[in-house]
Amino acid sequence: QVQLAESGGGSVNSGGSLRLSCASSGLTYRTYCLAWFRKTPGKEREGVASGDPDGNTNYADSVKGRVTISVDSAKNTLDLEINSLEPADTAVYYCAADRVPRCGILTAGYEFNYWGTGTQVTVSS
């Protein structure tokens, strides 16, 4: 059974950085699409970044240049580093995994069946 658990969220000032981590069990990294999503109240869930089994990464335009997704297969963790944080980045961040056919296309993530419970990121101006 695939299990995911996020950590690393918190409150930061605008311009700061955070590193979110997703601990996983029950999956083989090289066969799953791994992704980070975020959700703010009143808005649809947004794909932030994804990494496919071949090691290709993809980022949403809203975070491109400020975000890096990385996988440590030895530790079974999926990390998301966010720099130059803005108040618009305030959200609950979720990691997700599944064998989806189009890992490089970031959507709202409805095709993913495995999710963590989320970690809150709050950015103040």
Side-chain angles (χ1 to χ4, degrees):
Q1 182 180 359
V2 176
Q3 293 185 319
L4 304 170
E6 303 90 343
S7 62
S11 297
V12 296
N13 292 326
S14 184
S17 299
L18 278 176
R19 189 176 187 90
L20 308 182
S21 186
C22 175
S24 70
S25 62
L27 63 84
T28 304
Y29 278 114
R30 294 203 177 275
T31 64
Y32 280 77
C33 174
L34 307 170
W36 283 92
F37 295 83
R38 64 187 182 185
K39 179 74 170 69
T40 56
K43 293 185 178 180
E44 188 175 32
R45 187 171 55 205
E46 174 190 21
V48 176
S50 66
D52 71 15
D54 294 324
N56 300 308
T57 56
N58 193 50
Y59 300 97
D61 288 341
S62 59
V63 299
K64 198 168 291 184
R66 300 190 294 119
V67 166
T68 303
I69 188 172
S70 59
V71 172
D72 187 331
S73 56
K75 297 181 180 179
N76 287 343
T77 57
L78 169 69
D79 288 355
L80 185 74
E81 183 168 354
I82 317 173
N83 300 307
S84 302
L85 280 158
E86 307 166 351
D89 295 317
T90 295
V92 178
Y93 284 72
Y94 300 89
C95 63
D98 213 329
R99 294 185 175 105
V100 300
R102 298 184 300 174
C103 184
I105 298 178
L106 291 167
T107 61
Y110 294 112
E111 64 273 36
F112 286 80
N113 288 304
Y114 304 109
W115 293 85
T117 56
T119 185
Q120 176 72 46
V121 171
T122 303
V123 184
S124 56
S125 58

